[in-house]
Amino acid sequence: AKRHGRGRAVRYAPGMIEAVAERHALERDLRLALADHQFHLVFQPIMTLSNDAIVGYEALIRWQHPTRGFVSPVSFIPMAEETGLIMPIGAWVLNEACRRATLWPAQQHVAVNVSAVQLRSPKLLAHITSALADSGLPPHRLEIELTETALVEDGPQVAHTLSALRQLGLKIAMDDFGTGYSSLAHLRDLPLDRIKIDRSFVSAALHDKHSMAVVKAITQMGSDMGIVTIAEGVEDADQLALLRSLGCDAVQGYLIGRPERQMNYCPPAAISTHV
Ligand code: C2E
Ligand code: CA
Ligand code: CA
Ligand code: CA
């Protein structure tokens, strides 16, 4: 409690001081994490339903702290955005994802999550072009996943970055589609190549008719507009069968594969020369 005015005590809510201190500690640790090599990427496969082939992987960041253990991106990405640390962390993700993708077969792409803060920065383009140049990955093998929140606050910078990315030959996906607002306006106005149907609709579709209607409508719109639809969070065979029947283009989720480190990943060409 803090002394305030005529001897009255202002009491902080229980745990508030601890929570503030913990935020500071987490921020300090996050600042050190990059230099201390505490981040790594995992890769989750994306399967196309036309021939059940793995067409690419989404790169997902992991933070393994020496004493905290595993810290979820759901908790540290927002802090990285608030502190601006998302710029160097995001640049590292782009570099590492492109470098790793060069080890995969040429028909597979890598999808990288790019936050609203990165998209608003004039530095993003330079980070992407140098990740491509340093790795030698052709631009058409890199996809950028943006959430609607990133696209909603579209200033001139966002419009400029999006068209520059397209000119480079990158593919652009709208992530978590259906969870933001004005989704349909974005679908109409933005140059999108892919829509990722949010897991919340996919997992509820079989027992909730409204979710089913949303999944149906998105896949139908995607096919009418020539935009590839990818369903997220596919966990069982019934969901997969449903998505096939609705004409969804591709799927991602634990049923197809969990995000994996690919530590011992060996490119197919390298395997064949060793046998
Ligand atoms: P997201 O982009 O929507 O990524 C999908 C999340 O769903 C991942 O969680 C993934 O592990 C999880 N997932 C995939 N398949 C399934 C499934 O079948 N069932 C369930 N229950 N979950 C599934 P993760 O890796 O914890 O990432 C959470 C979020 O953190 C991501 O959501 C993304 O918004 C953000 N994120 C992750 N890596 C990065 C990054 O490198 N940069 C940025 N800016 N954000 C990232
Ligand atoms: Ca994503
Ligand atoms: Ca998503
Ligand atoms: Ca999500």
Side-chain angles (χ1 to χ4, degrees), residues 202-203 206 233-243 253-256:
V202 173
S203 58
L206 285 165
V234 179
E235 292 182 348
D236 63 50
D238 293 340
Q239 292 166 350
L240 181 63
L242 170 71
L243 292 157
Y254 295 165
L255 180 71
I256 319 307

Side-chain angles (χ1 to χ4, degrees), residues 58 113 145 147 174-177 196-199 232 252:
E58 177 175 2
N113 293 287
E145 296 195 359
T147 59
M174 188 180 288
D175 207 351
D176 304 342
F177 187 77
K196 299 193 80 172
I197 308 170
D198 191 67
R199 173 161 61 93
E232 298 189 308
Q252 182 180 354

Side-chain angles (χ1 to χ4, degrees), residues 15-149:
M16 205 167 114
I17 292 175
E18 289 82 351
V20 170
E22 167 53 21
R23 271 188 70 80
H24 278 115
L26 190 67
E27 182 181 336
R28 182 203 58 208
D29 288 353
L30 195 57
R31 277 186 198 286
L32 300 172
L34 204 51
D36 198 34
H37 308 287
Q38 291 168 10
F39 294 118
H40 66 265
L41 294 183
V42 288
F43 298 93
Q44 185 175 35
I46 299 164
M47 184 179 87
T48 180
L49 292 181
S50 61
N51 58 356
D52 288 8
I54 302 304
V55 285
Y57 295 85
E58 177 175 2
L60 295 157
I61 194 168
R62 293 291 177 264
W63 180 15
Q64 190 72 44
H65 184 267
T67 56
R68 293 175 185 275
F70 168 71
V71 186
S72 168
V74 178
S75 60
F76 76 81
I77 292 290
M79 169 165 287
E81 292 177 330
E82 286 164 34
T83 55
L85 288 167
I86 193 69
M87 291 313 294
I89 294 172
W92 177 83
V93 170
L94 283 161
N95 280 320
E96 180 66 4
C98 290
R99 188 184 71 79
R100 296 290 291 276
T102 61
L103 303 172
W104 307 338
Q107 65 275 17
Q108 292 178 341
H109 70 261
V110 65
V112 175
N113 293 287
V114 167
S115 104
V117 176
Q118 288 172 280
L119 190 64
R120 263 189 266 120
S121 164
K123 290 186 192 152
L124 178 67
L125 263 178
H127 288 172
I128 289 176
T129 44
S130 73
L132 290 168
D134 294 351
S135 62
L137 189 76
H140 72 266
R141 292 184 61 195
L142 176 60
E143 295 190 10
I144 297 298
E145 296 195 359
L146 303 166
T147 59
E148 295 179 65
T149 342

Side-chain angles (χ1 to χ4, degrees), residues 11 22 41 50 77 93 99 153 169 171 210 258 274-275:
R11 299 185 61 91
E22 167 53 21
L41 294 183
S50 61
I77 292 290
V93 170
R99 188 184 71 79
E153 23 181 329
K171 299 278 190 290
H210 290 176
R258 299 223 167 214
H274 285 286
V275 289

